[in-house]
Amino acid sequence: MAASRKREMRVTRGRLALYHTLLLGAVFVVWHLMTNPLLVSAEFAQNTAFFFGKPLVVLERVWDWFASGKIYEHLLVTLAETLLAFGFGTALGLGVGLWLALSPTASALADPYIKAMNAMPRVILAPIFAVWFGLGILSKVALGITLVFFIVFFNVYQGVREVSPVVLNNARMLGAGAGQLLRTVYVPSAMSWVFSSLHTSVGMAFVGAVVGEYLGAARGVGYLILQAEGAFDINTVFAGIVVLTAFALALDAAVSVLENRLLVWRPAQGETEPL
Amino acid sequence: MPNQAGVALALDSITVTFSARGAGGRTYTAVGDTTLKIATGEFVSIVGPTGCGKSTLLNVAAGLLEPSSGSVRVLGAPLAGLNRDAGYMFQADALLPWLSARANVELGLKYRGVAAAEVHERAQQWLGRIGLAAHGERYPHQLSGGMKKRVALAQMLILDPKILLMDEPFSALDIQTRQLMENELLELWSADRKSVVFITHDLEEAIALSDRVVVLSAGPATRPIGEFVIDLPRPRDVNEIRLTPRFVELHTQIWHAMKDEVLKGYAQTQRADAEHA
């Protein structure tokens, strides 16, 4: 651990950011050169441009979307779907997780069904949700919830099971009733597990939203990509992917901020400082 | 001292038997027929070889564990459920890691529904008393071992329990910090003389702190095999008192009674290790 840490430290933060940018630039340069008849034959360039699009056109498309404001409506829809799926999925996972973890009988009864539902490739539910909830925002939220729920559920379940018996007994000796135990011991312990899976669950909510849109929608970034694909407009498809990726990174950063806010009580590596 | 003759805690013929899981009806008796009385305001230490069932006995007194037979009486009334008159200090870290030192100290009062203003005031007093007034907003992981123990002490004492149950509370600390904590405990205790049951495997600690030392036999079926009244004068300084002739005399006497049991306990752990290996 210490050795790997030392090795990481050799590159400073600023330098690392520079390398990251250079690497990204290099990819774009190679992409550009491969799709332009400057170094390669015209025929090869045409082929690669057909399959991979042209980076400058892709960037131009992205620029157009934002300059004209056309993308905002779609981004907003995708964002709303992601957040709703994440919120409801987390709440549901938390509730069911706490309930099953604290009730051994219910847990034993539900166990095979939970396992079966988790093992099922849930993306396949998307068409069913489209039938049930229509092509609007609801069917995407439903798909996202099924993806988020299980991540949160398993983490909460684990979190409750792993509550230190000493801490639990201490709270009981201090006079905590059942409800107080739940609020001050079980939920915080479970939440620390939920937060550690926040990155995964937000990502899954996003996957649910985009896949849902891709399978049938009238708005959303997934819908834009589907439309462009139908017209063999590979540049727009790539532009959509670029926007989605940037968006996912932004979501991830937001989660990190939230995580640092809410988990101040948890020791970060090497942060412990005795007075 | 009010009611010096009163009994704060009485354990009467306590036996605790665990059934070993999945081992065809095999049982393990941790505590066998133990009778123990703690007087009001008395500081009693219980010493015994490692793994002899000291903590089990304390859990019974706390109501965390129901004895297989025998009865517990707290301030004269039979104990049912958790012991509401007792504060418990655990050997391991028992602070809630997601609460700041202040919130940990406040916890018991909040559970009892005490008004917020009073909770805050009393917590501030206690943080001051344990020398952490300026560090109340720190989380347990940001505190040193000694500070964590002090917070745990305040967390227990803020509720003003009549009986203190302490399970090797300072065993994880280094020797210097430990002696500091022992002195602090004595100082806090002498302010209002609560009844204390202090579990330890350290005989010196037991003698330095207590009015009475109870020696337990090696497990299984541990039981008291000796009782020694510690007539050292109070107030005491745990560092200085260790050097007095009377302390050495008591130490020799109690150690003599303990030695055979310690060796027995040691032989058992050796055997168990050999079986596991």
Side-chain angles (χ1 to χ4, degrees), chain A residues 170 174 180 184 265 272 275, chain B residues 94 98 111-112 141 147 155:
Chain A
N170 190 24
L174 290 172
Q180 289 167 328
T184 55
W265 59 269
T272 326
L275 283 180
Chain B
W98 40 83
Y111 284 154
R112 276 163 177 69
H141 77 88
M147 290 168 122
Q155 187 183 50

Side-chain angles (χ1 to χ4, degrees), chain A residues 163-167 169-177 180-181 183-186 188-189 192 264-268 271-275, chain B residues 62 64 82-84 86-88 90 92-99 107-108 110-112 135 138-139 141-142 144 147 155-156 159 165:
Chain A
V163 166
S164 146
V166 179
V167 170
N169 277 339
N170 190 24
R172 290 177 64 205
M173 284 308 290
L174 290 172
Q180 289 167 328
L181 272 189
R183 255 189 309 116
T184 55
V185 180
Y186 287 118
S189 171
S192 77
V264 274
W265 59 269
R266 240 186 6 188
E271 195 220 317
T272 326
E273 36 150 353
L275 283 180
Chain B
L64 288 167
L82 288 181
N83 189 343
R84 290 278 163 235
Y88 198 123
F90 294 83
D93 272 339
L95 295 177
L96 279 62
W98 40 83
L99 296 181
L107 197 60
K110 281 196 175 147
Y111 284 154
R112 276 163 177 69
H135 305 301
R138 291 192 168 221
Y139 287 91
H141 77 88
Q142 297 165 319
S144 68
M147 290 168 122
Q155 187 183 50
M156 171 177 75
L159 293 173
L165 306 172

Side-chain angles (χ1 to χ4, degrees), chain B residues 204-242:
Chain B
E204 284 194 28
E205 186 179 41
I207 300 172
L209 294 174
S210 325
D211 297 320
R212 188 153 59 101
V213 172
V214 175
V215 179
L216 292 184
S217 69
T222 188
R223 70 207 142 65
I225 50 163
E227 269 193 40
F228 300 85
V229 173
I230 309 300
D231 48 9
L232 297 166
R234 292 186 189 271
R236 300 176 188 165
D237 180 311
V238 294
N239 298 309
E240 288 164 15
I241 206 149
R242 277 166 221 254

Side-chain angles (χ1 to χ4, degrees), chain A residues 10-259:
Chain A
R10 243 180 247 169
V11 185
T12 62
R13 235 157 206 257
R15 212 152 245 240
L16 201 61
L18 177 71
Y19 291 159
H20 283 157
T21 319
L22 283 179
L23 191 61
L24 186 68
V27 168
F28 268 88
V29 167
V30 170
W31 186 6
H32 180 72
L33 291 177
M34 286 298 130
T35 51
N36 267 290
L38 223 64
L39 291 177
V40 295
S41 72
E43 197 196 357
F44 181 84
Q46 210 171 14
N47 272 333
T48 45
F50 178 77
F51 286 111
F52 296 98
K54 292 184 159 202
L56 289 179
V57 183
V58 168
L59 291 177
E60 195 190 315
R61 198 66 41 97
V62 173
W63 176 257
D64 271 356
W65 274 344
F66 281 95
S68 68
K70 187 188 162 208
I71 191 79
Y72 292 120
E73 174 198 4
H74 298 283
L75 263 180
L76 211 65
V77 168
T78 307
L79 178 68
E81 288 161 355
T82 305
L83 291 183
L84 283 174
F86 171 71
F88 282 110
T90 304
L92 214 61
L94 192 63
V96 177
L98 281 171
W99 176 46
L100 288 189
L102 295 174
S103 158
T105 321
S107 157
L109 191 67
D111 184 60
Y113 302 101
I114 297 274
K115 273 193 188 133
M117 273 154 67
N118 184 43
M120 177 176 67
R122 289 184 296 284
V123 172
I124 216 66
L125 292 174
I128 300 176
F129 286 146
V131 173
W132 288 355
F133 304 114
L135 291 178
I137 193 166
L138 269 186
S139 55
K140 285 83 192 169
V141 174
L143 180 63
I145 288 175
T146 62
L147 298 176
V148 171
F149 170 79
F150 285 94
I151 301 170
V152 176
F153 168 80
F154 284 114
N155 276 289
V156 169
Y157 195 75
Q158 189 77 4
V160 171
R161 286 295 171 91
E162 305 247 319
V163 166
S164 146
V166 179
V167 170
L168 199 59
N169 277 339
N170 190 24
R172 290 177 64 205
M173 284 308 290
L174 290 172
Q180 289 167 328
L181 272 189
L182 192 68
R183 255 189 309 116
T184 55
V185 180
Y186 287 118
V187 170
S189 171
M191 283 318 277
S192 77
W193 283 73
V194 171
F195 283 127
S196 62
S197 67
L198 217 58
H199 291 277
T200 330
S201 44
V202 167
M204 275 301 182
F206 193 53
V207 167
V210 173
V211 169
E213 286 164 5
Y214 188 74
L215 289 175
R219 279 186 302 175
V221 183
Y223 160 77
L224 280 186
I225 294 179
L226 179 65
Q227 258 198 333
E229 215 174 68
F232 283 99
D233 183 358
I234 202 78
N235 289 314
T236 308
V237 172
F238 271 93
I241 293 173
V242 168
V243 170
L244 281 182
T245 308
F247 193 64
L249 281 175
L251 268 181
D252 204 61
V255 167
S256 295
V257 170
L258 193 71
E259 208 177 13

